[in-house]
Amino acid sequence: MPHYTFLKFIWPSALAMLVFIALPIMSTSVQSLFIEHEKILETVENCTPFGCKEITKVDLEATEAQKAENPLGKFNGFGTYTNRNHLAFSELKQAWRESNGLNEFLAEVFNLPFYKALSFTLSYTFIVTPFVIIIGFFIALAVNRLPSFLKGPTIFVCLLPMIITPLIGSLVLFWMIDAEGIIGSFLQSIFNDPNLSLKASPTLTWIMLFVYGIWHHTPFAFIVFYAGLQTVPRDTLESAMIDGANRWGQTRHVIIPHLMPLAVFISLIQIMDNFRVFEPIIGFNAQASATSLSWLIYNDFRSGDGDMLFGSAAATSMLTIIGVSILMTPVIVRTWRANRPSQGVS
Amino acid sequence: MNKKNSWLNILSLSFILLWVILASVPFLWTLWGSFKVESDFFSKQDWRNAIFGVRTIIETGGMFTTNGYEGAWIKEEFWRAALNTGIVTLSVVTISLTLGTLGGYALARSGFRYAFWILIAALIFRAMPHITLVSGYLLPFFELGLWGHLSTTIIVLVAINQPFTLWMLHSFFSTIPKDLDESAMVDGCTRFEAFRHVIIPVMWPGVITTGLFSFLLAYNDFAITALLLTEANQTMVPKIASFLGSAQEQGNVMFAVAAVVSATVPLFMLVMFFQRQIVSGLTAGAVKG
């Protein structure tokens, strides 16, 4: 296809991605270097019949004017990145100096908002992803053995947790796990502890979120593996059987190698999706014990009295993007190798 | 069938049964409970109240009550949110498919190295958490007066959807033989005419599958719609989140439960009618991807 025709076909799509994905990333990186203006204070004399007092208040007009003149705020360099709410270098140094023992140091570190969120985000990504792949694989094997009239309805039910809106899915589970919901009160009666609440304990909250993540994402792995199972070459299976391989041997030596590329594909998508974990934290109302990087950004826009913390949100966004890039590099390099056109130009 | 195999069968059947229960019971439970009053659905005394509706009978006189639905749809004007969701999803699906088919077709037929680089860039864009992009939009949108409109949200969702749409349609178009449109061009068609007369008639299976996933993305989004829309033109998902914010008021939780069930219905219908396309679409994407 000539360059000119190619351009005519691709420009709307390319323009959309350029303006709404590439530019925002750049605008975020610029914003992260700026910080909101301080409020301009003025001192006025407030006189009452009992005498005059000087009080300080925010000069709204001047503050607004300053904001209108320079909406980005004032230049702060990498100040936002290193402050307490982000990489917190000075707090880290202090914690290192003052704490005795690694445990105490780590406890200090995970109290800092950024590291708290980072630790949850990474744990979520690396616990949910393998579980999703393994459970999805076994469901696919099991569904494949079902008689064909049962396959359709089973697949329908199995897909439900995946297509459900993440916020809605987490709410549905949350209402059941609630101390007054069915699972919550069931657990209370099992452990005979009327005060048991999954919400109150940070560890249980984390486990609850992991379970939600596995529940939500497993159907994706299942359906991809199931589709892959349909393409397992029959004669390889048969020759393995003739060679005396039992069912496990067939699975181990024929099916798993055949599905390996799919497992890589699933982990690529899962790492991308799990790293942006956000809605379950809202749905489970879990921010007290578990926060994620995406939640931190959301919180910067929602906190305070209508003042959005653009600088802080942008800095967290940039750190998140760097995090994603580090995680994705190996998989993207692999995709690049696999899809590289054999000759440069054809 | 030997003994070992039948054990394996029982094991695999019970595993499937367990998963089917895990996947379906939360929905059935919430559907059933949405027709009860709050003191049954969140019963302090006995979880069986939610099944038999003890308090519901005392409070409303019947086994079932539609108070939650009335409260959500009429009192809290959930219909407005539903309408907005309808507008947003329909537009997002239409626009992103239009852009995606053109782009995906070009990428599948180009043969030059830059097509490959565009796909890699799209893969990287696909990895960006949506909310990090929102932090890039907000300030410029406020400054330009674009913030809060449905149309802005639609365009943003279309753009965020493009990387995935391009990948999927690219791999779909790669499976359509090149000879098909090239022979049309030998017969004197231009590239656009060949696309219109030869490719469009055969592209529907791929386009429908991709459209389903665009629909899911637009319908399920929370991060973008919650931050880019004003309260007056919220879509369903942020509206449900705002019910939760005001849940302290008695009865409001049941509004949220009813709204959640209402918002789930279209998704169920979608899977019911398009299950085959979803499965085959993931296959195509996965086997190629």
Side-chain angles (χ1 to χ4, degrees), chain A residues 68-247:
Chain A
E69 193 182 317
N70 199 349
L72 263 179
K74 63 172 193 248
F75 187 73
N76 191 30
F78 286 99
T80 313
Y81 286 93
T82 54
N83 72 10
R84 188 182 179 280
N85 284 329
H86 298 87
L87 293 174
F89 287 142
S90 55
E91 281 79 5
L92 282 187
K93 261 185 229 148
Q94 196 187 351
W96 183 249
R97 265 202 315 271
E98 288 174 4
S99 58
N100 8 339
L102 193 65
N103 280 343
E104 203 183 312
F105 172 68
L106 287 179
E108 288 276 320
V109 169
F110 291 135
N111 262 331
L112 295 163
F114 178 77
Y115 293 99
K116 188 181 166 192
L118 183 69
S119 66
F120 176 75
T121 311
L122 287 176
S123 321
Y124 185 87
T125 310
F126 288 107
I127 289 174
V128 171
T129 308
F131 270 106
V132 161
I133 292 178
I134 294 166
I135 300 178
F137 174 68
F138 282 111
I139 296 177
L141 281 185
V143 170
N144 206 30
R145 291 167 61 90
L146 283 178
S148 53
F149 73 98
L150 277 177
K151 275 184 185 165
T154 314
I155 293 175
F156 168 71
V157 177
C158 289
L159 282 179
L160 294 179
M162 175 181 82
I163 52 114
I164 195 73
T165 314
L167 185 78
I168 291 181
S170 43
L171 277 175
V172 165
L173 293 194
F174 177 65
W175 287 328
M176 293 176 77
I177 289 169
D178 188 278
E180 286 150 18
I182 174 168
I183 300 177
S185 51
F186 184 66
L187 288 178
Q188 283 177 354
S189 70
I190 290 185
F191 294 105
N192 207 4
D193 174 5
N195 294 319
L196 180 74
S197 163
L198 288 172
K199 284 182 285 182
S201 140
T203 323
L204 289 177
T205 307
W206 278 42
I207 294 176
M208 188 169 75
L209 288 165
F210 294 155
V211 169
Y212 163 77
I214 296 168
W215 180 78
H216 179 63
H217 290 294
T218 297
F220 174 71
F222 149 66
I223 207 70
V224 172
F225 280 135
Y226 177 75
L229 281 178
Q230 313 307 310
T231 63
V232 172
R234 234 159 238 292
D235 38 345
T236 321
L237 266 186
E238 271 159 21
S239 56
M241 213 138 61
I242 293 165
D243 289 348
N246 57 10
R247 198 162 279 279

Side-chain angles (χ1 to χ4, degrees), chain A residues 162-165, chain B residues 89 93 211-221 267 270-271 278:
Chain A
M162 175 181 82
I163 52 114
I164 195 73
T165 314
Chain B
T89 40
V93 170
L212 284 170
F213 286 97
S214 310
F215 175 91
L216 284 180
L217 181 125
Y219 191 90
N220 288 345
D221 174 82
L267 291 172
L270 190 81
V271 192
I278 294 180

Side-chain angles (χ1 to χ4, degrees), chain A residues 3 13 20 145 165 276 317, chain B residues 9 114 126 135 137 162 220:
Chain A
H3 302 303
S13 177
F20 291 102
R145 291 167 61 90
T165 314
R276 61 174 74 142
S317 298
Chain B
N9 269 335
Y114 52 70
R126 162 74 173 72
S135 66
Y137 300 138
Q162 272 309 295
N220 288 345

Side-chain angles (χ1 to χ4, degrees), chain A residues 45-84:
Chain A
E45 213 166 69
N46 192 11
C47 288
T48 58
F50 306 102
C52 288
K53 251 194 312 192
E54 282 203 338
I55 58 164
T56 325
K57 64 168 195 171
V58 177
D59 183 349
L60 284 177
E61 217 167 275
T63 308
E64 283 301 314
Q66 176 183 252
K67 206 171 161 186
E69 193 182 317
N70 199 349
L72 263 179
K74 63 172 193 248
F75 187 73
N76 191 30
F78 286 99
T80 313
Y81 286 93
T82 54
N83 72 10
R84 188 182 179 280

